[in-house]
Amino acid sequence: CALGFFLQIYLLDVAQVDAFYASIILFAGRVWDAITDPMVGFFISKTSWTRFGRLMPWIMFSTPFAIISYFLIWFVPDISTGQVMWYLVFYCAFQTLVTCFHVPYSALTMFISREQSERDSATAYRMTVEVLGTVLGTAIQGQIVGKVDTPCIGSPFFFGLPNSSVAMEELNMTHDTESLTDTRNAYMIAAGVIGGLYLLCALILLLGVREKREASELQSDEPVSFFQGLKLVMNHRPYIKLIAGFLFTSLAFMLLEGNFALFCTYTLGFRNEFQNILLAIMLSATLTIPFWQWFLTRFGKKTAVYVGISSAIPFLIAVVVLDSNLIVTYVVAVAAGISVAAAFLLPWSMLPDVIDDFKLQHPSSHGHEAIFFSFYVFFTKFTAGVSLGISTLSLDFAGYQTRLCSQPDQVNLTLKLLVSAVPVGLILLSLLLFKLYPIDEEKRRKNKKALQDLR
């Protein structure tokens, strides 16, 4: 969450990476992350059982290296060349290592119980705490960094004045020597705190959760190659339709997440408030997860998708149509958080239903759960990487200038499109795709009974 909300503005305004190269870092890191997800999922499916389980060793051994890589992402190296490569290497390394945590962590839901109701309940608890983690990430990163004023250069008209280059050099010297150093130190402090939380939570997971061997079906009865597993999974139509719907939903919220800090800072003019606005989004999401869990059990998962995700649309439109107003922005933040909660919970709640449907259609084929989970993450991350790279590149084409206190009108227009018009269009497209998703509540009940009879 800290990376999603802050890495773009950090690369542009703190590390002072050119917008074009920043787009390459963000794009390549996300795409690399997407590529490693199915590979890790496949290797996990072939992992032998140990006294710690099949999934836990992956979490155990990846954690310390992930924390080191994460900290180095937020460090500005004192090198004149190779800065882009520094961020690219450690961003990709962190994405790989966190994949070794996240894929087995997500798949654990399938291996602590076989009961749909227990898995749905576990998913709701997991997503509540996961969103709470994003709140902590937003709060820690935002509040620590927000206490320090990142230096910026005055209005663009300044550049047209005589001797502007001399004045610019003096301004840079006075700002860079103290304020920018303080900002960089604040990012490293935040990284250290979040890294400590990462370690603490990993220890709680390792010491507090046990895989049930009798519930585990990770190991196939017969060896299945990577491409055979991929073919089986990708030929399952409900899975493809679920992926397609949440693909565009995740794209919408990733665009909002990646550009929201810049939008608040430059377009709305809330340079000193954006970290609190982000916190309002994530607090709202955390508090409404239990509501959406109740809603989906009462009215069904497809209805929860339609209501939950579409509720953000009028507020995303309002934030760019209405004049810049702090109260309106906070209202929009709370409303967006309600939709974020639905987008967090529902895909992970619906995926086990698709896997159950697959088991009924292929009763003799076992051990593909991790592949389902990893490819699910793959497609959302791949397209998110593409969208984030393209959005940063769009800002470069629009004329984004590093460290300006205000940006050209074309940049503000681009930011409005990236946090409102494009996400709204993607949400509407995802809702149309969800009409094709075949597993409604009646189908889910039939599958549950059929699985019980099969067992």
Side-chain angles (χ1 to χ4, degrees), residues 231-395:
K231 185 178 178 181
L232 272 173
V233 166
M234 299 312 294
N235 281 337
H236 191 56
R237 290 189 176 184
Y239 183 63
I240 298 300
K241 291 169 183 176
L242 182 65
I243 278 182
F246 276 108
L247 187 72
F248 291 104
T249 303
S250 65
L251 270 175
F253 286 103
M254 284 287 182
L255 278 173
L256 182 64
E257 177 188 271
N259 295 283
F260 197 73
L262 290 172
F263 177 72
C264 287
T265 300
Y266 294 112
T267 306
L268 298 181
F270 302 138
R271 177 176 288 273
N272 297 320
E273 283 287 335
F274 79 86
Q275 69 272 9
N276 297 322
I277 297 167
L278 296 181
L279 186 57
I281 293 175
M282 304 319 298
L283 277 173
S284 170
T286 303
L287 295 173
T288 50
I289 283 274
F291 166 77
W292 288 119
Q293 173 63 15
W294 168 83
F295 192 97
L296 69 85
T297 56
R298 177 69 177 81
F299 299 101
K301 296 179 183 179
K302 285 187 73 171
T303 304
V305 166
Y306 298 139
V307 175
I309 295 173
S310 64
S311 63
I313 292 175
F315 297 97
L316 291 177
I317 295 171
V319 78
V320 297
V321 172
L322 300 177
D323 292 334
S324 178
N325 183 291
L326 190 58
I327 295 174
V328 171
T329 305
Y330 272 108
V331 171
V332 170
V334 171
I338 294 171
S339 274
V340 167
F344 261 98
L345 174 66
L346 290 166
W348 296 108
S349 181
M350 296 167 81
L351 185 55
D353 301 335
V354 172
I355 297 174
D356 284 344
D357 189 71
F358 177 84
K359 287 178 180 177
L360 283 175
Q361 294 186 27
H362 305 86
S364 60
S365 183
H366 303 294
H368 304 301
E369 290 86 352
I371 297 177
F372 271 102
F373 276 90
S374 58
F375 273 102
Y376 196 63
V377 177
F378 165 79
F379 285 105
T380 54
K381 285 184 176 178
F382 181 82
T383 49
V386 173
S387 69
L388 196 56
I390 290 173
S391 68
T392 310
L393 203 57
S394 300
L395 293 173

Side-chain angles (χ1 to χ4, degrees), residues 8-19:
Q8 186 184 50
I9 197 169
Y10 165 80
L11 290 174
L12 294 173
D13 286 359
V14 181
Q16 298 181 25
V17 176
D18 182 83

